[in-house]
Amino acid sequence: MTEFNPVLRLNQQTEGFGSVCDPFSGPPNYTYTPEKCSKDSIQIGEIPNVLQRFTCYEDFSTGNCIGDGRFLPEASYMMVRAYSRSIQNLINIFPDLQSLTQCSFVNDAFMDIFWHQCEPFKASSRMLWASMLSLSIVMVVLLLLWVAKAYQNRGGSFSVCSIIPRPT
């Protein structure tokens, strides 16, 4: 009698599949190079098609799995499907976005809007900076007061600001 080995079964079912295509080079450059993917590699958007055969679709009347899949619940499959489609869509538009960043017309337009036509944004960023500065100052003052109170509670006293009378 043979024992069921899910890893062996998974390896047998995934034979013939290549690696997942990663069109970006490694650190430190992270450049987009779609030609680096081999012909037998799987596009990120195709991952759900590969995982579909390993997915357990639940029969709501019986609660049992329908199909050959025994490894991946249907909810996880749907999440992987949404993520892989989103990432593939971003990869598909990446060359266009990259060319827009190189376009001086687009850069000049954004800089003009930011520096000359967007006073509310400048005012908001200054207010944000001022509020962060005031919060930092208040936190430092509170930290110093906390340290002084801890020192006072340990038995030390500050003769100038002590409210507990000293025995003479």
Side-chain angles (χ1 to χ4, degrees):
M1 186 167 166
T2 60
E3 186 177 321
F4 176 71
N5 186 346
V7 175
L8 179 63
R9 182 173 176 211
L10 182 64
N11 287 339
Q12 289 170 350
Q13 288 180 344
T14 58
E15 281 181 18
F17 291 119
S19 61
V20 176
C21 173
D22 181 10
F24 295 94
S25 67
N29 296 333
Y30 296 107
T31 56
Y32 179 69
T33 53
E35 61 275 357
K36 127 181 172 172
C37 294
S38 64
K39 294 194 187 307
D40 63 337
S41 64
I42 302 167
Q43 297 293 319
I44 292 176
E46 297 296 319
I47 291 175
N49 297 341
V50 174
L51 292 179
Q52 189 171 17
R53 70 170 66 167
F54 306 111
T55 303
C56 172
Y57 298 98
E58 185 177 344
D59 181 12
F60 292 109
S61 61
T62 63
N64 296 330
C65 287
I66 299 173
D68 292 337
R70 300 279 187 248
F71 302 108
L72 187 65
E74 185 177 6
S76 298
Y77 169 76
M78 296 304 280
M79 195 175 347
V80 167
R81 184 174 151 198
Y83 286 147
S84 65
R85 282 187 179 173
S86 300
I87 292 170
Q88 187 63 50
N89 288 338
L90 285 173
I91 288 173
N92 291 344
I93 66 167
F94 186 80
D96 296 330
L97 293 176
Q98 191 175 24
S99 67
L100 277 178
T101 62
Q102 306 300 324
C103 180
S104 62
F105 175 72
V106 174
N107 284 338
D108 293 344
F110 274 106
M111 285 305 195
D112 181 53
I113 290 169
F114 179 73
W115 290 112
H116 303 293
Q117 300 176 17
C118 199
E119 288 299 322
F121 180 75
K122 281 185 186 178
S124 296
S125 63
R126 286 184 185 128
M127 287 296 291
L128 177 64
W129 181 82
S131 63
M132 292 301 290
L133 178 66
S134 62
L135 177 67
S136 299
I137 291 170
V138 167
M139 292 303 292
V140 167
V141 168
L142 287 174
L143 178 69
L144 292 173
L145 289 173
W146 180 63
V147 167
K149 183 64 178 165
Y151 179 74
Q152 206 173 31
N153 286 344
R154 282 188 60 207
S157 69
F158 299 105
S159 59
V160 175
C161 62
S162 178
I163 56 172
I164 301 173
R166 281 190 187 183
T168 52

